[in-house]
Amino acid sequence: SSWLLGQAAWAPSFQTPSQSLPAVAAMVKKVKVEKAKSDKSSCKKCQKKISFDELRAGVDCWMGGRTVTAWLHMKCMSECFKFDRCKGKGKCKLSGDTMEKGEARLELAREYTGIFFKLKHSHSALADFLKEKAMKPQAIKGYSELSPEEKSQLWKTAKAHFRRA
C-alpha cells in the first residue's frame, strides 16, 4: 500500500481551464535585462555560461511546448539584431500587430528566439536593453536597406542638450 501512495505523486493531475497555466499572452513581450540569479543559464548564441550577477538580456519565446526565457550575454544579444523584411505575414511580438510580406522589421536573435518587432515598436521593445547598452540603429545589420521613412520610425540616440544662460 505504501507503493501505491508513492505512485500517486507521479500520477498526472487534471486541471479545469481556470486552474491551467497562464496562456502565451502572459509572456513578456520585450527584451528584458537583469542580473543573472545563478550561474546555471547559458547564452543561446555562444553557448558559454552566464555568470552569477552578470547582466544578461532575454526574451520569452515558445520552445518545446512551453514559454521559456532565451538568455544571451549583453554583447551577444547586441550582435543578434538585424533589420530585414517579412518573408510572409507575421506578427509584432510587442504589439501583436500584423506585419505584411515585404514590411521592414527588427529581427531579434532569429536563430535562438524567432522574435520580430515592427519598426515603430523597436524602441519600446528594446528600452531596457538600450538603457544598459547604448546602441545606434545605424550599427545594426540591414540598416542601409531601410528607406528614409522606415529609418524615421527608429529610436533616436540620446544627445546632451545644453542651454546657455
Side-chain angles (χ1 to χ4, degrees):
S1 69
S2 63
W3 179 82
L4 287 175
L5 289 173
Q7 289 299 100
W10 294 99
S13 62
F14 297 97
Q15 300 175 327
T16 63
S18 63
Q19 296 172 315
S20 61
L21 297 174
V24 175
M27 294 188 344
V28 175
K29 297 175 186 265
K30 63 180 194 164
V31 177
K32 53 188 171 184
V33 175
E34 66 176 36
K35 288 187 176 185
K37 297 172 184 160
S38 71
D39 62 353
K40 294 179 182 170
S41 60
S42 294
C43 176
K44 293 290 181 210
K45 182 175 189 283
C46 71
Q47 304 300 314
K48 293 181 181 169
K49 288 280 186 190
I50 299 174
S51 302
F52 170 73
D53 222 25
E54 181 180 353
L55 213 50
R56 63 185 180 178
V59 65
D60 287 351
C61 53
W62 191 254
M63 285 187 199
R66 63 189 178 110
T67 302
V68 297
T69 302
W71 293 111
L72 285 85
H73 291 108
M74 294 290 287
K75 182 181 184 298
C76 290
M77 179 68 87
S78 68
E79 295 168 355
C80 289
F81 299 133
K82 177 183 169 187
F83 294 113
D84 76 347
R85 304 218 170 258
C86 293
K87 312 295 185 255
K89 272 195 169 187
K91 286 199 173 195
C92 173
K93 169 82 170 181
L94 183 71
S95 67
D97 295 346
T98 300
M99 294 188 288
E100 299 298 328
K101 183 177 181 179
E103 184 177 342
R105 65 186 178 181
L106 176 64
E107 177 183 296
L108 175 88
R110 181 177 172 204
E111 310 83 62
Y112 320 109
T113 67
I115 304 297
F116 305 94
F117 299 106
K118 278 184 148 306
L119 293 182
K120 69 180 182 180
H121 297 301
S122 59
H123 183 259
S124 296
L126 300 181
D128 293 342
F129 181 85
L130 294 171
K131 283 179 196 169
E132 299 296 333
K133 185 165 179 55
M135 202 175 170
K136 294 180 180 181
Q138 296 88 336
I140 297 175
K141 184 178 177 178
Y143 179 83
S144 62
E145 304 300 316
L146 300 175
S147 71
E149 182 184 329
E150 290 166 339
K151 290 175 182 176
S152 73
Q153 296 178 51
L154 302 173
W155 66 95
K156 308 290 185 263
T157 51
K159 294 179 184 173
H161 295 283
F162 298 98
R163 283 188 151 178
R164 291 200 161 184

